[in-house]
Coordinates of all heavy atoms in Angstrom, one line a residue:
R1315 N 14.4 -11.2 -10.4 CA 15.3 -11.0 -9.3 C 14.8 -11.8 -8.1 O 13.7 -12.0 -7.9 CB 15.2 -9.5 -8.9 CG 15.5 -8.5 -10.0 CD 17.0 -8.1 -9.9 NE 17.2 -7.1 -10.9 CZ 17.8 -7.3 -12.1 NH1 18.3 -8.5 -12.4 NH2 18.0 -6.3 -12.9
H1316 N 15.8 -12.3 -7.3 CA 15.5 -13.1 -6.1 C 14.9 -12.1 -5.1 O 15.5 -11.0 -4.9 CB 16.8 -13.7 -5.6 CG 16.5 -14.7 -4.6 ND1 16.3 -14.4 -3.3 CD2 16.3 -16.1 -4.6 CE1 16.1 -15.5 -2.5 NE2 16.1 -16.5 -3.4
P1317 N 13.8 -12.5 -4.4 CA 13.2 -11.6 -3.4 C 14.1 -11.1 -2.3 O 14.0 -10.0 -1.9 CB 12.0 -12.5 -2.9 CG 11.7 -13.5 -3.9 CD 13.0 -13.7 -4.6
A1318 N 15.1 -11.9 -1.9 CA 16.0 -11.5 -0.9 C 16.9 -10.4 -1.3 O 17.4 -9.6 -0.5 CB 16.8 -12.7 -0.4
Q1319 N 17.0 -10.2 -2.6 CA 17.9 -9.2 -3.1 C 17.2 -7.8 -3.3 O 17.9 -6.8 -3.4 CB 18.4 -9.5 -4.5 CG 19.4 -10.7 -4.5 CD 19.8 -11.1 -5.9 OE1 19.2 -10.7 -6.9 NE2 20.8 -11.9 -6.0
L1320 N 15.9 -7.8 -3.2 CA 15.2 -6.5 -3.4 C 15.5 -5.4 -2.4 O 15.7 -4.3 -2.8 CB 13.7 -6.8 -3.4 CG 13.2 -7.6 -4.6 CD1 11.7 -7.9 -4.4 CD2 13.4 -6.9 -5.9
P1321 N 15.6 -5.7 -1.1 CA 16.0 -4.6 -0.1 C 17.4 -4.1 -0.5 O 17.7 -2.9 -0.4 CB 16.0 -5.3 1.2 CG 15.0 -6.4 1.1 CD 15.2 -6.9 -0.3
L1322 N 18.3 -5.0 -0.9 CA 19.6 -4.5 -1.3 C 19.6 -3.6 -2.5 O 20.3 -2.7 -2.7 CB 20.6 -5.7 -1.5 CG 20.8 -6.6 -0.3 CD1 21.6 -7.8 -0.7 CD2 21.5 -5.8 0.8
R1323 N 18.7 -4.0 -3.5 CA 18.6 -3.2 -4.7 C 18.0 -1.8 -4.3 O 18.5 -0.8 -4.9 CB 17.6 -4.0 -5.6 CG 17.1 -3.2 -6.8 CD 18.1 -3.1 -7.9 NE 18.8 -4.4 -8.2 CZ 19.1 -4.8 -9.5 NH1 18.9 -4.0 -10.5 NH2 19.7 -5.9 -9.7
V1324 N 17.1 -1.8 -3.4 CA 16.5 -0.5 -3.0 C 17.6 0.4 -2.4 O 17.7 1.6 -2.7 CB 15.3 -0.7 -2.0 CG1 14.9 0.6 -1.4 CG2 14.2 -1.4 -2.8
A1325 N 18.4 -0.2 -1.5 CA 19.5 0.5 -0.9 C 20.5 1.0 -1.9 O 20.9 2.2 -1.8 CB 20.1 -0.4 0.2
A1326 N 20.8 0.2 -2.8 CA 21.8 0.6 -3.9 C 21.2 1.8 -4.7 O 21.9 2.7 -5.0 CB 22.1 -0.6 -4.7
L1327 N 19.9 1.7 -5.1 CA 19.3 2.7 -5.9 C 19.2 4.0 -5.1 O 19.4 5.1 -5.7 CB 17.9 2.3 -6.4 CG 18.0 1.3 -7.5 CD1 16.6 0.6 -7.7 CD2 18.4 1.9 -8.8
N1328 N 18.9 3.9 -3.8 CA 18.9 5.1 -3.0 C 20.3 5.8 -2.9 O 20.4 7.0 -3.1 CB 18.4 4.8 -1.6 CG 16.9 4.6 -1.5 OD1 16.2 5.0 -2.3 ND2 16.5 3.9 -0.5
R1329 N 21.3 5.0 -2.8 CA 22.6 5.5 -2.7 C 23.0 6.1 -4.1 O 23.6 7.2 -4.2 CB 23.6 4.4 -2.3 CG 25.0 4.9 -2.1 CD 25.1 5.6 -0.8 NE 26.5 6.0 -0.6 CZ 26.8 7.3 -0.3 NH1 25.9 8.2 -0.2 NH2 28.1 7.6 -0.2
L1330 N 22.6 5.5 -5.1 CA 22.9 6.0 -6.5 C 22.2 7.3 -6.7 O 22.8 8.2 -7.3 CB 22.4 4.9 -7.5 CG 22.8 5.1 -8.9 CD1 24.3 5.1 -9.1 CD2 22.2 4.0 -9.8
A1331 N 21.0 7.4 -6.3 CA 20.2 8.7 -6.4 C 21.0 9.8 -5.7 O 21.1 10.9 -6.2 CB 18.8 8.6 -5.8
E1332 N 21.5 9.5 -4.5 CA 22.2 10.5 -3.8 C 23.5 10.9 -4.5 O 23.8 12.1 -4.6 CB 22.5 10.0 -2.3 CG 21.3 9.9 -1.5 CD 21.5 9.1 -0.2 OE1 22.5 8.3 -0.1 OE2 20.8 9.4 0.8
R1333 N 24.2 10.0 -5.0 CA 25.5 10.2 -5.7 C 25.2 11.0 -7.0 O 26.0 12.0 -7.3 CB 26.2 8.9 -6.0 CG 26.8 8.3 -4.8 CD 27.6 7.1 -5.2 NE 28.1 6.4 -4.0 CZ 29.4 6.4 -3.7 NH1 30.3 7.0 -4.4 NH2 29.8 5.8 -2.6
Y1334 N 24.2 10.7 -7.7 CA 23.9 11.4 -8.9 C 23.5 12.9 -8.6 O 23.9 13.8 -9.3 CB 22.7 10.8 -9.7 CG 23.0 9.7 -10.6 CD1 22.3 8.5 -10.6 CD2 24.1 9.7 -11.5 CE1 22.6 7.5 -11.5 CE2 24.4 8.7 -12.3 CZ 23.7 7.6 -12.3 OH 24.0 6.5 -13.2
S1335 N 22.8 13.1 -7.5 CA 22.5 14.4 -7.1 C 23.8 15.2 -6.8 O 23.9 16.4 -7.2 CB 21.6 14.4 -5.9 OG 21.3 15.7 -5.5
V1336 N 24.7 14.6 -6.1 CA 26.0 15.3 -5.7 C 26.7 15.6 -7.0 O 27.4 16.7 -7.1 CB 26.8 14.4 -4.8 CG1 28.2 14.9 -4.6 CG2 26.1 14.3 -3.4
L1337 N 26.7 14.8 -8.0 CA 27.4 15.0 -9.2 C 26.7 15.9 -10.2 O 27.1 16.1 -11.3 CB 27.6 13.6 -9.9 CG 28.6 12.6 -9.2 CD1 28.6 11.3 -9.9 CD2 30.0 13.2 -9.1
G1338 N 25.6 16.5 -9.7 CA 24.8 17.4 -10.6 C 24.0 16.8 -11.7 O 23.8 17.4 -12.8
E1339 N 23.5 15.6 -11.5 CA 22.7 14.8 -12.4 C 21.3 14.6 -11.9 O 21.0 13.5 -11.5 CB 23.4 13.5 -12.8 CG 24.8 13.6 -13.4 CD 24.7 13.8 -14.9 OE1 23.6 13.8 -15.5 OE2 25.7 14.0 -15.5
P1340 N 20.5 15.6 -11.7 CA 19.2 15.5 -11.1 C 18.3 14.5 -11.8 O 17.5 13.8 -11.1 CB 18.7 16.9 -11.0 CG 19.4 17.6 -12.1 CD 20.7 17.0 -12.2
E1341 N 18.3 14.5 -13.1 CA 17.4 13.6 -13.9 C 17.8 12.1 -13.6 O 16.9 11.3 -13.4 CB 17.5 13.9 -15.4 CG 16.8 15.1 -15.7 CD 17.7 16.0 -16.6 OE1 18.7 15.6 -17.1 OE2 17.4 17.2 -16.7
K1342 N 19.1 11.8 -13.6 CA 19.5 10.4 -13.2 C 19.2 10.1 -11.8 O 18.8 9.0 -11.5 CB 21.0 10.2 -13.5 CG 21.3 10.2 -15.0 CD 22.8 10.0 -15.2 CE 23.1 10.0 -16.7 NZ 24.5 9.8 -16.9
A1343 N 19.3 11.1 -10.9 CA 18.9 10.9 -9.5 C 17.5 10.5 -9.4 O 17.1 9.6 -8.6 CB 19.3 12.1 -8.7
R1344 N 16.6 11.3 -10.1 CA 15.2 11.1 -10.1 C 14.8 9.7 -10.6 O 14.0 9.0 -10.0 CB 14.5 12.1 -10.9 CG 13.0 12.2 -10.7 CD 12.7 12.7 -9.4 NE 11.3 12.8 -9.1 CZ 10.6 11.8 -8.6 NH1 11.2 10.6 -8.3 NH2 9.3 11.9 -8.4
V1345 N 15.4 9.2 -11.6 CA 15.2 7.9 -12.2 C 15.5 6.8 -11.2 O 14.8 5.9 -10.9 CB 15.9 7.7 -13.5 CG1 15.9 6.2 -13.9 CG2 15.4 8.6 -14.6
A1346 N 16.7 7.0 -10.5 CA 17.1 6.0 -9.5 C 16.1 6.0 -8.3 O 15.8 4.9 -7.8 CB 18.5 6.3 -9.0
A1347 N 15.7 7.1 -7.9 CA 14.8 7.2 -6.8 C 13.4 6.5 -7.2 O 12.8 5.8 -6.4 CB 14.5 8.6 -6.4
R1348 N 13.0 6.8 -8.4 CA 11.7 6.2 -8.9 C 11.8 4.7 -8.9 O 10.9 4.0 -8.5 CB 11.4 6.8 -10.3 CG 10.0 6.3 -10.8 CD 9.8 6.8 -12.2 NE 9.9 8.3 -12.3 CZ 10.8 8.9 -13.0 NH1 11.7 8.2 -13.8 NH2 10.9 10.2 -13.0
E1349 N 12.9 4.2 -9.4 CA 13.1 2.7 -9.4 C 13.2 2.1 -8.0 O 12.7 1.0 -7.8 CB 14.4 2.4 -10.2 CG 14.3 2.6 -11.7 CD 15.6 2.2 -12.4 OE1 16.4 1.4 -11.9 OE2 15.8 2.7 -13.5
S1350 N 13.7 2.9 -7.1 CA 13.8 2.5 -5.7 C 12.4 2.2 -5.2 O 12.1 1.2 -4.5 CB 14.5 3.5 -4.9 OG 14.6 3.1 -3.5
V1351 N 11.5 3.1 -5.4 CA 10.1 2.9 -5.0 C 9.5 1.7 -5.6 O 8.8 0.9 -5.0 CB 9.2 4.2 -5.3 CG1 7.7 3.9 -5.0 CG2 9.7 5.4 -4.5
Q1352 N 9.7 1.5 -6.9 CA 9.2 0.3 -7.6 C 9.7 -1.0 -7.1 O 8.9 -1.9 -6.9 CB 9.5 0.4 -9.1 CG 8.8 1.6 -9.8 CD 9.3 1.9 -11.2 OE1 10.3 1.3 -11.6 NE2 8.6 2.7 -11.9
Y1353 N 11.0 -1.0 -6.8 CA 11.5 -2.3 -6.2 C 11.0 -2.5 -4.8 O 10.8 -3.6 -4.3 CB 13.1 -2.3 -6.2 CG 13.6 -2.7 -7.6 CD1 14.1 -1.7 -8.5 CD2 13.6 -4.0 -8.0 CE1 14.6 -2.1 -9.7 CE2 14.1 -4.4 -9.2 CZ 14.6 -3.5 -10.1 OH 15.0 -3.8 -11.3
A1354 N 10.9 -1.4 -4.0 CA 10.4 -1.5 -2.6 C 9.0 -2.1 -2.6 O 8.7 -2.9 -1.7 CB 10.5 -0.2 -1.9
A1355 N 8.2 -1.7 -3.6 CA 6.9 -2.3 -3.6 C 6.8 -3.8 -3.8 O 5.9 -4.4 -3.5 CB 6.1 -1.6 -4.8
R1356 N 7.9 -4.3 -4.4 CA 7.9 -5.8 -4.7 C 8.5 -6.6 -3.5 O 8.5 -7.8 -3.6 CB 8.8 -6.0 -5.9 CG 8.1 -5.4 -7.2 CD 9.0 -5.4 -8.4 NE 9.6 -6.7 -8.6 CZ 10.7 -6.9 -9.4 NH1 11.2 -5.8 -10.1 NH2 11.2 -8.0 -9.6
I1357 N 8.9 -6.0 -2.5 CA 9.5 -6.7 -1.3 C 8.3 -7.4 -0.6 O 7.3 -6.8 -0.3 CB 10.2 -5.7 -0.4 CG1 11.4 -5.1 -1.1 CG2 10.6 -6.5 0.9 CD1 12.1 -4.0 -0.3
L1358 N 8.5 -8.7 -0.4 CA 7.4 -9.5 0.2 C 7.3 -9.3 1.7 O 6.2 -9.2 2.3 CB 7.6 -10.9 -0.1 CG 7.6 -11.3 -1.6 CD1 7.8 -12.8 -1.9 CD2 6.2 -10.8 -2.3
D1359 N 8.4 -9.3 2.4 CA 8.4 -9.1 3.9 C 8.0 -7.7 4.2 O 8.6 -6.7 3.8 CB 9.8 -9.4 4.4 CG 9.8 -9.3 5.9 OD1 10.1 -8.2 6.4 OD2 9.6 -10.4 6.6
E1360 N 6.9 -7.6 5.0 CA 6.3 -6.3 5.3 C 7.3 -5.4 6.1 O 7.3 -4.2 5.9 CB 5.0 -6.4 6.0 CG 3.9 -7.1 5.1 CD 3.6 -6.3 3.9 OE1 3.6 -5.0 3.9 OE2 3.3 -6.9 2.8
S1361 N 8.0 -6.0 7.0 CA 8.9 -5.1 7.8 C 10.1 -4.6 6.9 O 10.5 -3.5 7.0 CB 9.4 -5.9 9.0 OG 10.2 -7.1 8.6
E1362 N 10.6 -5.5 6.0 CA 11.6 -5.1 5.1 C 11.1 -4.0 4.2 O 11.8 -3.1 3.8 CB 12.2 -6.3 4.3 CG 13.0 -7.3 5.1 CD 14.4 -6.8 5.4 OE1 14.8 -5.8 4.8 OE2 15.0 -7.3 6.3
K1363 N 9.9 -4.2 3.7 CA 9.3 -3.2 2.8 C 9.2 -1.8 3.6 O 9.5 -0.8 3.0 CB 7.9 -3.6 2.4 CG 7.3 -2.7 1.4 CD 5.9 -3.2 1.0 CE 6.0 -4.5 0.3 NZ 4.7 -5.0 -0.3
A1364 N 8.7 -1.9 4.8 CA 8.6 -0.6 5.6 C 9.9 0.1 5.7 O 10.0 1.3 5.6 CB 8.0 -0.9 6.9
I1365 N 11.0 -0.7 6.0 CA 12.3 -0.1 6.2 C 12.8 0.5 4.9 O 13.3 1.6 4.8 CB 13.3 -1.2 6.7 CG1 13.0 -1.6 8.1 CG2 14.7 -0.7 6.6 CD1 13.7 -2.8 8.6
A1366 N 12.6 -0.2 3.8 CA 13.0 0.2 2.5 C 12.3 1.5 2.1 O 12.9 2.5 1.6 CB 12.8 -0.8 1.4
L1367 N 11.0 1.6 2.3 CA 10.2 2.8 2.0 C 10.6 3.9 2.9 O 10.6 5.1 2.4 CB 8.7 2.5 2.1 CG 8.2 1.6 1.0 CD1 6.7 1.2 1.3 CD2 8.2 2.3 -0.3
A1368 N 10.9 3.7 4.2 CA 11.3 4.8 5.1 C 12.6 5.4 4.6 O 12.8 6.6 4.6 CB 11.4 4.2 6.5
R1369 N 13.6 4.5 4.2 CA 14.8 5.0 3.7 C 14.7 5.7 2.4 O 15.3 6.8 2.2 CB 15.8 3.8 3.6 CG 16.2 3.3 5.0 CD 17.2 2.2 4.9 NE 17.6 1.8 6.2 CZ 18.1 0.6 6.5 NH1 18.2 -0.3 5.6 NH2 18.4 0.3 7.8
T1370 N 13.8 5.2 1.6 CA 13.6 5.9 0.3 C 12.9 7.3 0.5 O 13.3 8.3 -0.1 CB 12.7 5.0 -0.6 OG1 13.4 3.8 -0.9 CG2 12.5 5.7 -2.0
S1371 N 12.1 7.3 1.5 CA 11.4 8.6 1.9 C 12.5 9.6 2.3 O 12.4 10.8 1.9 CB 10.4 8.4 3.0 OG 9.9 9.6 3.5
G1372 N 13.4 9.2 3.0 CA 14.5 10.1 3.4 C 15.3 10.6 2.3 O 15.7 11.8 2.2
V1373 N 15.5 9.8 1.3 CA 16.2 10.2 0.0 C 15.4 11.3 -0.7 O 15.9 12.3 -1.1 CB 16.5 9.0 -0.9 CG1 17.0 9.5 -2.2 CG2 17.5 8.1 -0.2
Y1374 N 14.1 11.0 -0.8 CA 13.2 12.0 -1.5 C 13.2 13.3 -0.7 O 13.3 14.4 -1.3 CB 11.8 11.4 -1.5 CG 11.5 10.6 -2.7 CD1 12.0 9.4 -2.9 CD2 10.6 11.1 -3.7 CE1 11.8 8.6 -4.0 CE2 10.3 10.3 -4.8 CZ 10.9 9.1 -5.0 OH 10.6 8.4 -6.1
Q1375 N 13.2 13.2 0.6 CA 13.2 14.5 1.4 C 14.5 15.2 1.3 O 14.5 16.4 1.0 CB 12.9 14.1 2.9 CG 12.8 15.4 3.7 CD 12.4 15.0 5.1 OE1 12.5 13.9 5.6 NE2 11.8 16.0 5.8
N1376 N 15.6 14.5 1.4 CA 16.9 15.1 1.3 C 17.2 15.7 -0.1 O 17.9 16.8 -0.2 CB 18.0 14.1 1.6 CG 18.0 13.7 3.0 OD1 17.5 14.4 3.9 ND2 18.6 12.6 3.3
L1377 N 16.7 15.1 -1.1 CA 16.9 15.6 -2.5 C 15.8 16.6 -3.0 O 15.9 17.1 -4.1 CB 17.1 14.4 -3.5 CG 18.2 13.5 -3.2 CD1 18.3 12.4 -4.2 CD2 19.6 14.2 -3.0
G1378 N 14.8 16.8 -2.2 CA 13.7 17.7 -2.5 C 12.8 17.2 -3.6 O 12.2 18.0 -4.3
F1379 N 12.7 15.8 -3.7 CA 11.8 15.3 -4.7 C 10.4 15.2 -4.2 O 10.1 14.9 -3.1 CB 12.2 13.8 -5.1 CG 13.5 13.7 -5.8 CD1 14.3 12.6 -5.8 CD2 14.0 14.8 -6.6 CE1 15.5 12.5 -6.4 CE2 15.2 14.7 -7.3 CZ 16.0 13.5 -7.2
E1380 N 9.4 15.5 -5.1 CA 8.0 15.3 -4.9 C 7.6 14.0 -5.5 O 8.2 13.6 -6.5 CB 7.2 16.4 -5.5 CG 7.5 17.8 -4.9 CD 7.0 18.0 -3.5 OE1 5.9 17.3 -3.2 OE2 7.6 18.7 -2.7
L1381 N 6.6 13.3 -4.9 CA 6.1 12.1 -5.5 C 5.4 12.4 -6.8 O 4.6 13.3 -6.9 CB 5.1 11.4 -4.6 CG 5.7 10.8 -3.3 CD1 4.6 10.3 -2.4 CD2 6.7 9.7 -3.7
E1382 N 5.7 11.6 -7.8 CA 4.9 11.7 -9.1 C 3.7 10.8 -9.0 O 3.5 10.0 -8.1 CB 5.8 11.2 -10.2 CG 7.0 12.1 -10.4 CD 8.0 11.6 -11.5 OE1 7.8 10.4 -11.9 OE2 8.9 12.3 -11.8
Q1383 N 2.8 11.0 -10.0 CA 1.5 10.2 -9.9 C 1.7 8.7 -9.9 O 1.1 8.0 -9.1 CB 0.7 10.6 -11.1 CG -0.7 10.0 -11.1 CD -1.5 10.4 -9.9 OE1 -1.4 11.6 -9.5 NE2 -2.4 9.6 -9.5
T1384 N 2.7 8.2 -10.6 CA 2.9 6.8 -10.6 C 3.4 6.3 -9.3 O 3.0 5.2 -8.8 CB 3.9 6.4 -11.7 OG1 5.1 7.1 -11.5 CG2 3.4 6.6 -13.1
E1385 N 4.2 7.1 -8.6 CA 4.7 6.7 -7.3 C 3.6 6.8 -6.3 O 3.5 5.9 -5.4 CB 5.8 7.7 -6.9 CG 7.1 7.5 -7.8 CD 8.0 8.7 -7.8 OE1 7.5 9.9 -7.7 OE2 9.2 8.5 -7.9
R1386 N 2.7 7.8 -6.4 CA 1.6 7.8 -5.5 C 0.7 6.6 -5.6 O 0.2 6.0 -4.6 CB 0.7 9.1 -5.8 CG 1.3 10.3 -5.2 CD 0.3 11.5 -5.4 NE 1.0 12.7 -5.1 CZ 1.3 13.6 -6.1 NH1 1.0 13.4 -7.3 NH2 2.0 14.7 -5.8
E1387 N 0.5 6.2 -6.9 CA -0.4 5.0 -7.1 C 0.3 3.7 -6.6 O -0.4 2.9 -6.0 CB -0.6 4.8 -8.6 CG -1.6 5.8 -9.2 CD -3.0 5.7 -8.5 OE1 -3.4 4.6 -8.2 OE2 -3.5 6.8 -8.3
T1388 N 1.6 3.7 -6.7 CA 2.3 2.5 -6.1 C 2.2 2.5 -4.6 O 1.9 1.4 -4.0 CB 3.8 2.6 -6.5 OG1 4.0 2.6 -7.9 CG2 4.6 1.5 -5.8
L1389 N 2.3 3.6 -4.0 CA 2.1 3.7 -2.5 C 0.7 3.4 -2.1 O 0.5 2.7 -1.1 CB 2.6 5.0 -2.0 CG 4.1 5.3 -2.1 CD1 4.4 6.7 -1.7 CD2 4.9 4.3 -1.4
R1390 N -0.3 3.9 -2.9 CA -1.7 3.5 -2.6 C -1.9 2.0 -2.6 O -2.6 1.5 -1.8 CB -2.6 4.3 -3.5 CG -2.8 5.7 -3.2 CD -3.9 6.3 -4.1 NE -3.9 7.8 -3.9 CZ -3.5 8.6 -4.9 NH1 -3.1 8.2 -6.0 NH2 -3.5 9.9 -4.6
T1391 N -1.4 1.4 -3.6 CA -1.5 0.0 -3.8 C -0.9 -0.8 -2.6 O -1.5 -1.7 -2.1 CB -0.8 -0.5 -5.1 OG1 -1.5 0.1 -6.2 CG2 -0.9 -2.0 -5.2
I1392 N 0.3 -0.3 -2.2 CA 0.9 -0.9 -1.0 C 0.0 -0.8 0.2 O -0.2 -1.7 1.0 CB 2.3 -0.3 -0.7 CG1 3.3 -0.7 -1.8 CG2 2.8 -0.7 0.7 CD1 4.6 0.1 -1.8
L1393 N -0.5 0.4 0.4 CA -1.4 0.6 1.6 C -2.7 -0.2 1.5 O -3.1 -0.7 2.6 CB -1.7 2.1 1.7 CG -0.6 3.0 2.1 CD1 -1.0 4.5 2.0 CD2 -0.1 2.7 3.5
R1394 N -3.3 -0.3 0.3 CA -4.5 -1.1 0.2 C -4.2 -2.6 0.6 O -5.0 -3.2 1.3 CB -5.0 -1.1 -1.2 CG -5.9 0.1 -1.5 CD -6.7 0.0 -2.7 NE -5.8 -0.1 -3.9 CZ -5.4 0.9 -4.7 NH1 -5.8 2.1 -4.3 NH2 -4.7 0.7 -5.7
R1395 N -3.1 -3.1 0.1 CA -2.7 -4.5 0.4 C -2.4 -4.7 1.9 O -2.8 -5.7 2.5 CB -1.5 -4.9 -0.4 CG -1.8 -5.1 -1.9 CD -0.6 -5.5 -2.6 NE -0.8 -5.6 -4.0 CZ 0.1 -5.5 -5.0 NH1 1.4 -5.5 -4.6 NH2 -0.2 -5.6 -6.2
A1396 N -1.8 -3.7 2.5 CA -1.4 -3.8 3.9 C -2.7 -3.8 4.8 O -2.7 -4.3 5.9 CB -0.5 -2.7 4.3
S1397 N -3.7 -3.1 4.3 CA -4.9 -3.0 5.2 C -5.8 -4.2 5.1 O -6.7 -4.4 6.0 CB -5.8 -1.8 4.7 OG -6.3 -2.0 3.4
W1398 N -5.5 -5.2 4.2 CA -6.2 -6.4 4.2 C -5.6 -7.3 5.2 O -5.9 -8.3 5.6 CB -6.2 -7.0 2.8 CG -7.0 -6.3 1.8 CD1 -6.6 -5.4 0.9 CD2 -8.5 -6.3 1.7 NE1 -7.7 -4.9 0.2 CE2 -8.8 -5.4 0.7 CE3 -9.5 -7.1 2.3 CZ2 -10.2 -5.3 0.3 CZ3 -10.8 -6.9 1.9 CH2 -11.1 -6.0 0.9

């Protein structure tokens, strides 16, 4: 994927997660949200990454999702890289 498309991909997955939730498909919503975190982690521009993660956080909060272990590890990796 082209790096410039990653924020758009995150936004689309967030929207997809919300729609799946409305349609009563919580498992599909969860998969879309998880993919959103994975794509957000690959965004190179730090400000774009922060925006994508903030929006994804809102989706998690609105849908009542808890972070899974793999998502926590992804976020820890992002934080470690940002602190360098």
Side-chain angles (χ1 to χ4, degrees):
R1315 307 264 185 255
H1316 191 277
Q1319 294 176 345
L1320 292 174
L1322 297 174
R1323 171 75 49 145
V1324 171
L1327 286 165
N1328 284 338
R1329 189 73 180 126
L1330 191 59
E1332 292 169 337
R1333 286 183 186 250
Y1334 277 136
S1335 180
V1336 168
L1337 294 173
E1339 297 279 354
E1341 287 128 17
K1342 290 181 180 180
R1344 191 70 182 88
V1345 169
R1348 185 181 308 117
E1349 287 181 22
S1350 180
V1351 172
Q1352 293 168 351
Y1353 278 105
R1356 295 172 45 196
I1357 296 173
L1358 299 177
D1359 182 272
E1360 294 300 323
S1361 61
E1362 289 286 341
K1363 185 182 296 187
I1365 292 167
L1367 288 170
R1369 290 182 177 153
T1370 301
S1371 171
V1373 170
Y1374 271 69
Q1375 186 174 19
N1376 291 340
L1377 300 183
F1379 291 156
E1380 296 289 328
L1381 289 174
E1382 295 175 351
Q1383 185 62 33
T1384 56
E1385 294 157 325
R1386 284 190 192 105
E1387 287 301 318
T1388 298
L1389 294 175
R1390 282 187 192 109
T1391 299
I1392 291 169
L1393 291 172
R1394 277 194 298 269
R1395 289 181 185 159
S1397 67
W1398 288 100

